[in-house]
Structure formats: C-alpha cells, structure tokens
Amino acid sequence: MYFVTGGRVGMRPMDHSVLKCLFSLLLLTVSAADPPSNAAILASEQPSNTASANQPSNAATSSTATTPSCTTRRCLASMLIAKKALSQPQSPSCISNISVPLIVYETLSVDTKDLRFESHLQVRLSWEDPDLSWDTSVYHHNMVVLPVSKIWTPELHVTNGVQTMMKHGNKDLLVHSNGTIEHMVIMDTVVGCEVNLYNYPFASDFCPIAINVWALNGCGMFLNFGKVSKTSANRGDWLTENVKLDAKGGRDDRNYLWVSLKMRSENPFMSLVLPSILIIVADVVSFTLPLGGGERISFKVTLVLSFIMFLIILNDLLPGGGQCSPIIRKHFCFCLVILVLSTLQSMVLTRLAKCGTLWPCSLSKSKDSLLKDTDNEEASEGEKNTPLQVVKFLNKMAAQDQKKARRHRFANKVDLICFCIYLTVLIVYTVVILYFSFGSQCVIDQLDFWS
C-alpha cells in the first residue's frame, strides 16, 4: 500500500496475514477463469481411469445399432421377403424332403370311350427353409404370412397324366419361426387309364395317379406322404370305393394313388342289356306267326332295325378295342347275327311254302292262269265239251291245293326244326355269356407306364 510523506511516495509495511489472504484470493480467481487446464492436468495424471470410463459408453452405442427399430409382424414379413428366397432350400445332402400330410381326392368323371378319368386333388404341403427362420427373442411372433409369389414352392407332377393343371390354394402361405412352411395346392389332372371293361356293365378296376417331384443324380426332392381322404364318391355311373397310397417296388420316386373304381350297373343294364334280351325273346316268340302273309318277316325286320340302333349307342359308349375288350360288344354282335339269320330263315321258308322251290325265277301257275287256260280251250272246242272241262278244272284245283298243303306241311316241319335249333343255340349261348361275364376275369397291368 502506498502513502505520501513529506513530498515522497513510499510503502508502508503490511501484516503477513493480509498478504496471505490476498494470495489465496488470487489463486481462486485464476482457477475459476481456466477449468480445462485443470481437467487436462487430471487427465494426464489418471489416463487409465478415463479409458475405463469410456468403454461402457461404446458398448451401449453398439447394442443400440444392432437392435431393430421395428419388430412388428409386417416388419418381420418385409425382412423375410427381402431375403428373396426364390430357389429351392440348399441342404448339405442336396435333397429337400417335402411332407404331404393330407390329400383330399375326388373323381370328377370317367370316360369309358377314350379310357381316361379326371380327378380333383387338394394337396397340403410342408417343408423347411432355414433361411426363413428368425429369433423369437427379437421378433416376438411364432408365425407370419408371406405372399406365395415371393417364396419358393415345390412343383408336383403326375407321371401318367395326360393333362395336369396345378394352382395354389391361396395367394399366401404360412411360415413358422423355425423355418417350416405350410401351403396347399390344387391339382386337376386327366389320367390315361385303360379301365377294365371286360365285364361291362358290371365292371370294376383300379387306376393309379402317379404323383411325384423332380429328382436327378441325388439332387431334388422327395415326398413323404401322410393320409388320404375322398369326397363325392358318386360320379355318374362310376363309384369311387377306396383311395390309398402305394409305391411301386418300394421306391421313393414311384409313388401313386391307387383309386378303386366300380361301375354302377343299373343304368347301363336297363338301357342296353335288358333291351337286347327282350328283342331276342320277341324274336323267339315271332316263330308262332304263320309263314304266309309276310307278317313274320316284317316283324323280324323291325327287330333287326331296333337292335342296330342299340348297337350304335353301345359303340358310342365303349372303346373300339383294347387288351380287355368288353364282352357286351361280342354279345351284341352275336345277337345281331342271330336276328339276321332268323329273318333270312323266315324268308326262305315263306318262299318254299308258297312256291315249293327256292329258285327265284321258278313260278307256279295260279288259279287265274288255270282259269285262263280253261277258257281258251273252251273257246277252241265249242260248247259241247263244257262239262268235261269243268271236271278237269276242278281236278287241277284239287291237285294244286294238295300240292300247296304238302309244301306248307314241309315248310312248317323245317320251321319247327329251325326253331328247336335256334332255341338250343340261345340256351347254350346264355350259359356261356353268363360264365364269361361273372366267372372269368381279364387282368391289366395299370403300372406299365413305368416299365
């Protein structure tokens, strides 16, 4: 502290306590004005403590970066779609096992003319794709629905199919958290099957539907089948009795549905077999009609024309040939031959009864011709011989009547013999046709398309 004494400036001595207080105040003022320097000093003194303090902060930042910001089901679906899993799951063994837990089968129609039958199948599928799995601790959902166009799906084919159309049961599929995928497809297939029509209309047979997938050189897919159920057993004249799964030779690549078909014989029997029997019975009864007059011949011709109409209907229903040709076709041919022979026999006997000969050009004189000859003789000889001419005319008429009676008796005897032969042939034929219809069988190898 300065002071003036006698015109001079001087300093008066101060207490040490006052100076100490001033020095402390100066230090506090400097510390408040420059804190970073103190922090730097502390950092230089303790580097290890600062590094350990920064490590938890970095870990928290990394954890925040890996945790997804959106965990809803739609976000999960978008994440799975972004993987673009459009190819078959690539397992280490190069084989994908496709599970088929259920097949619902239905027979739509059976074409006996072209030997084909149409079927409708609803096939439930299940397979695994590890690329489509997720962590349930992050995404708290066990299942998610994805569009079928964004995910690979297996394709089934029918080995013996003539025409097959496969479509998805719906536009979405179900994906589980472990990568298991569930889906359903619908198959409409036309299968070529040589249905055994040997005992038509009492026919029954088995037809296969070979459902398989692609596999080559140890790569591809294999099917593991479950249960099979059927719906709508009745389709027209055919009944689906049973449907079961089987494999030819126990091979995994030759699986097929074994469809048991049976024909309901009521309609074909009433519309084809029964009319043919009645026509034959009517032809047998027609032997009671007289040979003269033409009634029998006209009736038999009507029967022949009616039978030809039923034969045309049968030809439109059954195939032209095959390994086991329907025996009913042979039945109709035999009946037609019998009817034609019966008609020809009646025509021949009618000719024989009328003229006494089978030559077309031989003509016998009738009563009118005899009267004409007698009139000519009377005109030439005169009226004096008239009683004699009358006697001759009467004698000729009696001779003609006797001759005609003999011809009729002979024709009737031949007709009776033909009737007995005809009836015997029909009885033998009935026994034979019943034996072949119910006692014999024809076997067809329906799995020859694999051989």
Side-chain angles (χ1 to χ4, degrees), residues 99-167:
S99 177
V100 186
L102 178 63
I103 297 178
V104 180
Y105 173 84
E106 179 182 3
T107 300
L108 297 182
S109 63
V110 180
D111 189 353
T112 56
K113 179 65 176 179
D114 297 328
L115 298 179
R116 297 177 181 179
F117 78 101
E118 184 178 358
S119 304
H120 177 80
L121 296 91
Q122 299 180 19
V123 184
R124 187 173 299 173
L125 301 175
S126 177
W127 69 96
E128 293 185 0
D129 192 344
D131 294 333
L132 297 179
S133 61
W134 65 87
D135 188 0
T136 55
S137 63
V138 178
Y139 296 95
H140 304 288
H141 308 290
N142 293 324
M143 295 177 291
V144 68
V145 177
L146 298 182
V148 70
S149 60
K150 302 297 182 180
I151 304 299
W152 175 87
T153 56
E155 182 177 358
L156 308 179
H157 65 270
V158 180
T159 306
N160 60 332
V162 178
Q163 181 181 359
T164 302
M165 183 182 67
M166 176 180 169
K167 61 181 180 180

Side-chain angles (χ1 to χ4, degrees), residues 27-93:
L27 288 177
L28 291 174
T29 305
V30 172
S31 175
D34 193 10
S37 60
N38 295 335
I41 292 173
L42 292 174
S44 62
E45 291 178 354
Q46 297 178 352
S48 60
N49 294 335
T50 306
S52 62
N54 290 337
Q55 285 179 356
S57 177
N58 294 337
T61 305
S62 176
S63 176
T64 304
T66 56
T67 302
S69 60
C70 180
T71 59
T72 62
R73 199 184 297 271
R74 184 178 290 273
C75 292
L76 174 60
S78 300
M79 184 268 292
L80 296 177
I81 292 174
K83 292 184 177 182
K84 297 181 179 181
L86 297 176
S87 63
Q88 177 181 334
Q90 304 298 326
S91 62
S93 61

